[in-house]
Amino acid sequence: MTIIGIDLGTTNSACGVWRDGAVHLIPNRHGDKLTPSVVGFDAGGELIVGKTAQNRLITHPRDTVATFKRLMGTKHRIEVSKTSFTATELSAAVLRSLKEDAEAFLGEPVSEAIISVPAYFNDNQRHATKQAGEIAGMKVQRLINEPTAAALAYGLHDKPEGVFVVLDMGGGTFDVSVIEYFDGVMEVHASAGDNYLGGEDFLEAMVERFLADRKIERAGLDKGALQVLFDAMERAKRAIGRSPAPRVAIELAGTAHDVEITEPWFRDAVAGLLLRVRAPIEQALRDARIPLADIADVLLVGGATRMAVFRNAAGKLFGRIPSSYLDPDLVVAMGATVQAGLKARDSSLDDVVLTDVCPYTLGTEVVDPAGSGKPGFFLPLIERNSVVPTSRVERLFTVADKQARMQVNVFQGENRMVERNVFLGEIDVTVPKRKAGEESIDVRFSYDMNGLLEVDVKVNSSGETINKVIQQAPGALSDDEMARSRQRLAALKFHPREREENLQLLSQGERLYLTHLGDTRAAIGDALAAFEAVLDRQRDSEIGRARDELKAFLDRFDGDLLP
Ligand code: AMP
């Protein structure tokens, strides 16, 4: 049974397999190790995923979606080609595409996977990720925290000894983990993070500042024009600090704009975001009780850590230059693949042991411990950064005479009042009617290696027990909904693999046509027309040659956006 390791990223995904004592990253149908986490439909209603869909974000904004990972674990529905999907279903489409690429590469079916999640993903988001894997037709053997996966990849790479900090900033999230590696044992001491701080937020801040500088109302721009602006800004973001400074030259609502994106302008636009980098780092170090001086290395993971402003901010906070000698875009997939090797009990990994922590506090609702009788207070059962798996039990008593029911409301978070924490689920328990305080229940929370919570309740007088894996949370799919999602995805036809390369080139060309002007645009238009003429003639050898030529031609204009 082959298990693959998957990094399901906000902007890009990747997967790998553990073979012959090493990680092998799996190329997708275009030969790339990174697959953009973008989903869309072509004119015939067939599903397209990855680079082809990414190119169509600009040319077909209503038929294409990206960055849906941010909505995982919510009921929010996302409209694509006049049909609405949950983020779980869209993620399932990406996972199915990775699964098919892996099967084509390995020449055998893949039915199991390890999927990485941001360490700071809450229980709902973790369940949604697991469900996405299952909808895509894979049993999710384990969820692994992204920074832990990265540490695993670094750990196997050069076996550093000591405590190191992993800073992981991808498209949507920022995670910090303090990890110790000693004698083959990888121990996570603490994780902290911000689920809404990633490269996409830096991009958003640039776009907002650009629109404010130029006094353009965002609401007045259509989806396509906005996408062109985002695309140009994304290129600029990746080229900031280079000489000459990148320019954004675009036409918006009939007016031409040509602006130089300088480092000071960028720093100013993202100053608020940079300030938010500090808090999770401080919290992780405090929870781990590790002084700054004991840290052997700071490792950077995730595409957004390539930004010089981020490296400088991290360098200042730690007083040292952070390391990034493994590819920050691929290191999480590499680590998830090592975990797949561990799961398959590969003998070359016999001496590697991994322990992880739960990043949030989990608890239940109780009445005011000070005795006012007011409900809504949070009683922590499993404190954040406890080593997992872990289990803890707490006894709760009835508070009113003849009380017949006790409701166990389960929350996750760090606030004293439950209303400010994340609601995960509830269990209703019937108890014999007695005087207040005479009946009690034992509530046990068990938190597993995947970061998923199980709650057991025992009524002490009767011995009755109730066991529940918490998944009735808002946003989680019920068994029926899961079955429906699976059928829906199975009914969607993928754009045929053999034609995908042609569609990908045409969509790349159409995007470049839209984002360029003048002679370049005309030349791109001519090249596309010539290629379409070749496709119409339907001679395979001619198509192959024309495809290579068109690819080389288009790539000349695309430098920075290619993975
Ligand atoms: P990931 O989810 O790890 O693939 O990270 C993707 C994020 O990294 C996106 O927001 C990208 O804009 C950002 N990113 C990738 N490469 C660069 C780069 N060279 N400079 C700045 N940001 C980058």
Side-chain angles (χ1 to χ4, degrees), residues 121-377:
F121 247 22
N122 66 35
D123 204 72
N124 299 339
Q125 293 165 310
R126 283 168 196 267
H127 270 295
T129 306
K130 206 156 175 254
Q131 291 185 324
E134 278 152 25
I135 294 169
M138 288 180 286
K139 182 165 172 18
V140 180
Q141 284 288 0
R142 165 95 190 256
L143 299 172
I144 181 169
N145 291 330
E146 285 166 10
T148 309
L152 208 46
Y154 268 103
L156 282 192
H157 187 260
D158 63 357
K159 309 225 172 356
E161 299 255 293
V163 181
F164 47 109
V165 174
V166 180
L167 302 181
D168 177 0
M169 190 184 280
T173 49
F174 177 48
D175 277 346
V176 183
S177 289
V178 180
I179 295 173
E180 185 163 9
Y181 193 77
F182 184 70
D183 250 3
V185 178
M186 177 100 49
E187 189 181 346
V188 181
H189 285 293
S191 284
D194 186 330
N195 267 344
Y196 297 92
L197 182 62
E200 300 305 312
D201 299 288
F202 284 76
L203 178 61
E204 178 70 33
M206 291 172 80
V207 167
E208 281 297 328
R209 174 59 63 93
F210 173 88
L211 293 175
D213 286 355
R214 315 240 119 205
K215 304 202 168 36
I216 302 171
E217 283 291 330
R218 187 169 179 153
L221 297 175
D222 66 35
K223 219 174 159 190
L226 256 183
Q227 194 61 52
V228 171
L229 175 58
F230 270 92
D231 198 60
M233 277 297 173
E234 175 69 27
R235 276 160 207 281
K237 186 176 84 176
R238 293 177 184 219
I240 283 162
R242 286 199 211 145
S243 179
R247 306 189 79 85
V248 166
I250 51 168
E251 205 183 287
L252 288 174
T255 312
H257 303 269
D258 185 353
V259 196
E260 199 177 60
I261 303 294
T262 63
E263 260 185 284
W265 180 89
F266 178 63
R267 241 181 287 126
D268 198 47
V270 302
L273 296 173
L274 284 174
L275 288 176
R276 281 165 56 194
V277 166
R278 187 189 183 99
I281 294 178
E282 280 184 341
Q283 193 196 305
L285 289 175
R286 207 179 308 120
D287 284 358
R289 295 195 194 86
I290 304 257
L292 210 55
D294 288 1
I295 288 162
D297 207 352
V298 178
L299 306 174
L300 298 185
V301 179
T305 60
R306 288 211 173 90
M307 293 185 295
V309 287
F310 180 87
R311 286 170 182 246
N312 292 339
K316 271 203 200 114
L317 287 170
F318 285 96
R320 72 174 71 221
I321 297 172
S323 307
S324 55
Y325 46 91
L326 293 181
D327 184 334
D329 286 322
L330 295 173
V331 60
V332 170
M334 291 164 72
T337 302
V338 176
Q339 180 63 44
L342 281 169
K343 193 80 204 173
R345 299 186 184 279
D346 191 282
S347 56
S348 56
L349 289 168
D350 267 356
D351 54 348
V352 179
V353 180
L354 174 69
T355 68
D356 211 335
V357 294
C358 75
Y360 287 104
T361 299
L362 296 157
T364 181
E365 180 178 355
V366 289
V367 295
D368 183 1
S372 73
K374 278 199 212 121
F377 285 78

Side-chain angles (χ1 to χ4, degrees), residues 409-426:
N409 290 330
V410 181
F411 288 89
Q412 169 179 292
E414 311 305 323
N415 289 296
R416 208 163 60 85
M417 305 307 293
V418 290
E419 64 183 11
R420 284 160 61 209
N421 292 326
V422 180
F423 174 69
L424 296 181
E426 61 193 5

Side-chain angles (χ1 to χ4, degrees), residues 427-502:
I427 301 180
D428 245 332
V429 192
T430 312
V431 290
K433 291 183 189 165
R434 297 250 174 82
K435 274 176 92 173
E438 281 189 359
E439 274 297 321
S440 67
I441 53 173
D442 280 352
V443 178
R444 176 179 290 280
F445 277 23
S446 306
Y447 194 80
D448 71 9
M449 287 298 280
N450 298 309
L452 297 174
L453 176 67
E454 207 174 298
V455 179
D456 291 292
V457 179
K458 182 170 161 215
V459 182
N460 289 318
S461 61
S462 67
E464 185 200 352
T465 55
I466 303 169
N467 169 280
K468 185 159 170 179
V469 178
I470 293 296
Q471 51 185 231
Q472 253 59 52
L477 302 178
S478 66
D479 288 351
D480 276 0
E481 286 172 312
M482 280 285 287
R484 246 177 284 138
S485 291
R486 217 174 285 131
Q487 276 169 4
R488 252 181 114 192
L489 190 68
L492 291 175
K493 276 229 278 314
F494 269 84
H495 190 85
R497 287 176 77 87
E498 63 280 8
R499 292 206 324 260
E500 167 130 9
E501 194 72 356
N502 302 339

